[in-house]
Amino acid sequence: SVARLAHHIDQTGTDEALALPQVSPDPDHALAPFPLNPIQQAYWLGRQSGFELGQVAAQGYIEFDLDDIRQLDTSRLEHAWRGLIARHPMLRTVILSSGQQQVLDDVPAYSIAVTDLQALDDTTLATRLASIRHTESHRVSDPGTWPLFDCQLLQLPGQKGRLLLRIDALIMDAGSIFL
């Protein structure tokens, strides 16, 4: 922290870097449970019911409007998601009841849910979209159950679509989401 660095400078009269913990890969134990970092722990505790303002999940939620759903190859998108899941261990991570996290070695093939709303009239569609948005943006996933993300496709009238993406902050920080 800044205060710790300032104290270090005051004590030593130098701005030498503070010793950081050494980190080294340990592939033999990659699937063993390991501690949450302090921010993950705060997010995990905040979703518990024991707090007055608890039962809230920190998550990222975004919607992408698609002008022509015919241009989206859903099976290709699913294939890409499965590739991301295979490549990034945090997309295969769950939080154990002990408060530790664990990367799962093997997870089921992820499927993108497709909901057909094309036949709805404007009023019903608006109500349904608002309901879906509220449900997804306020979802509190069970952190011990994979996956801690969700990708859905809504088929809308006029060959339009909406892609919904929700990622629990327990497994992803803002910088990682942008990657």
Side-chain angles (χ1 to χ4, degrees), residues 98-120:
S98 65
Q100 292 196 305
Q101 56 193 315
Q102 185 170 24
V103 175
L104 303 175
D105 187 34
D106 188 37
V107 293
Y110 186 76
S111 296
I112 295 174
V114 178
T115 304
D116 187 350
L117 304 175
Q118 295 176 88
L120 300 181

Side-chain angles (χ1 to χ4, degrees), residues 63-75:
E63 299 178 355
F64 299 95
D65 284 329
L66 308 170
D67 291 331
D68 187 348
I69 199 167
R70 294 171 295 189
Q71 295 180 3
L72 178 68
D73 183 340
T74 307
S75 63

Side-chain angles (χ1 to χ4, degrees), residues 33-112:
F34 59 102
L36 299 171
N37 69 38
I39 291 175
Q40 287 175 302
Q41 191 172 39
Y43 290 159
W44 180 66
L45 290 171
R47 69 178 53 219
Q48 308 299 319
S49 61
F51 296 100
E52 183 177 338
L53 299 175
Q55 295 182 302
V56 175
Q59 62 188 357
Y61 174 74
I62 191 166
E63 299 178 355
F64 299 95
D65 284 329
L66 308 170
D67 291 331
D68 187 348
I69 199 167
R70 294 171 295 189
Q71 295 180 3
L72 178 68
D73 183 340
T74 307
S75 63
R76 191 170 168 204
L77 180 60
E78 274 185 347
H79 181 75
W81 262 108
R82 291 173 185 165
L84 283 171
I85 293 165
R87 170 90 168 93
H88 297 285
M90 287 309 292
L91 291 175
R92 298 187 315 275
T93 298
V94 295
I95 311 302
L96 306 174
S97 61
S98 65
Q100 292 196 305
Q101 56 193 315
Q102 185 170 24
V103 175
L104 303 175
D105 187 34
D106 188 37
V107 293
Y110 186 76
S111 296
I112 295 174

